[in-house]
């Protein structure tokens, strides 16, 4: 709890990942991927409850083995690859509140695919959300200016190359570029009101925790290999 707000951690871990089969329990340096998140959750302050949202018995077993609770299973309609984070978090929040008989004021999403996250990353996210009374706070990473949105190009149906954003034509020097950021998946803190009433994981009043060190969000086998090297 922080500032009288109950905090629920949700670890979303479905079984049908397309890029890497059963990615959430695939070994990373000899340990199932979800174990890294489970071990971190044990060390977090402010957390009143932590649950895993999964549709897979194998993932549930590994989650329980590392001390995470699996009080419900995710229904099939929320287990496809086109289901968004919003629906998964809404379901996890309402199911946990029903089971526990209490209300949680903030949901913190910790995806297993970011094993490099630290206690400090998550703690800063929770604190900023609570103290600033934000709808949501996301962790982000600075975008390399070489890949700035105004430098992006596209090829149209006729094979013509053009700027994705026509404002890019005016960019001459990198000093003209305003910094941009990408979400890195380390942590999301979202208020109950934002999820259930505004029906959003972002809402209207949003802030960020900027993480400068390199983080990899695992989607492919190559990502797994890169993270293994970084974690080792």
């Amino acid at each position: 709890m922080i500032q009288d707000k109950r905090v629920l951690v949700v670890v979303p871990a479905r079984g049908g990942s397309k890029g890497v089969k059963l990615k959430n329990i695939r070994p990373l340096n000899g340990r199932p991927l979800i174990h890294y998140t489970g071990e971190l959750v044990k060390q977090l302050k402010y957390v009143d409850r932590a649950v895993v949202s999964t549709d897979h018995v194998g993932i549930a077993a590994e989650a329980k083995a590392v001390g995470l609770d699996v009080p419900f299973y995710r229904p099939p309609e929320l287990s496809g690859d086109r289901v968004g984070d919003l629906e998964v978090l809404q379901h996890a929040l309402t199911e946990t509140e029903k089971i526990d008989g209490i209300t949680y004021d903030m949901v913190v999403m910790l995806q297993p695919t970011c094993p490099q996250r630290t206690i400090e990353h998550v703690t800063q996210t929770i604190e900023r959300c609570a103290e600033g009374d934000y709808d949501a706070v996301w962790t982000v990473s600075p975008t390399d200016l070489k890949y700035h949105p105004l430098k992006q190009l596209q090829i149209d149906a006729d094979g013509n190359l053009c700027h994705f954003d026509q404002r890019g034509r005016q960019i001459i020097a990198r000093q003209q570029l305003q910094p941009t950021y990408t979400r890195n998946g380390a942590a999301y803190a979202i208020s109950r009101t934002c999820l259930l009433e505004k029906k959003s994981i972002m809402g209207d009043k949003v802030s960020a925790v900027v993480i400068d060190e390199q983080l990899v969000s695992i989607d492919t086998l190559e990502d797994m290999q890169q993270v293994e090297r970084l974690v080792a």
Side-chain angles (χ1 to χ4, degrees), residues 58-86:
I59 293 175
E62 290 295 350
K64 292 174 183 177
V66 77
L68 291 169
D69 195 11
V70 189
F72 55 83
Y73 276 87
R74 193 190 302 186
E77 61 270 21
L78 293 180
S79 301
D81 55 2
R82 294 186 178 274
V83 176
D85 295 326
L86 173 63

Side-chain angles (χ1 to χ4, degrees), residues 146-157:
K146 294 194 297 291
Y147 308 111
H148 192 280
L150 292 183
K151 299 185 76 171
Q152 297 298 303
L153 306 170
Q154 63 181 353
I155 300 173
D156 66 19

Side-chain angles (χ1 to χ4, degrees), residues 52-58 60-61 64 70-75 91 95:
V52 173
S53 169
T54 188
D55 59 329
H56 193 277
V57 293
K64 292 174 183 177
V70 189
F72 55 83
Y73 276 87
R74 193 190 302 186
H91 174 263
E95 285 299 305

Side-chain angles (χ1 to χ4, degrees), residues 80-145:
D81 55 2
R82 294 186 178 274
V83 176
D85 295 326
L86 173 63
E87 293 82 4
V88 171
L89 295 178
Q90 287 175 328
H91 174 263
L93 173 60
T94 54
E95 285 299 305
T96 306
E97 288 185 339
K98 189 187 307 179
I99 292 166
D100 295 353
I102 59 176
T103 297
Y104 293 96
D105 305 289
M106 183 192 303
V107 172
V108 178
M109 180 168 67
L110 300 180
Q111 297 161 313
T113 47
C114 186
Q116 296 167 272
R117 72 166 62 86
T118 67
I119 296 168
E120 188 62 25
H121 295 155
V122 183
T123 300
Q124 286 183 3
T125 305
I126 294 172
E127 289 176 343
R128 182 160 298 177
C129 191
E131 293 166 4
D133 198 27
Y134 288 104
D135 287 331
V137 174
W138 296 6
T139 57
V140 298
S141 298
T143 303
D144 189 320
L145 289 180

Side-chain angles (χ1 to χ4, degrees), residues 205-225:
K205 185 181 179 184
V206 195
S207 188
V209 171
V210 179
I211 300 174
D212 290 317
E213 57 264 35
Q214 182 183 9
L215 294 182
V216 178
S217 181
I218 297 174
D219 289 315
T220 65
L221 285 174
E222 290 74 18
D223 293 336
M224 292 280 290
Q225 293 163 358

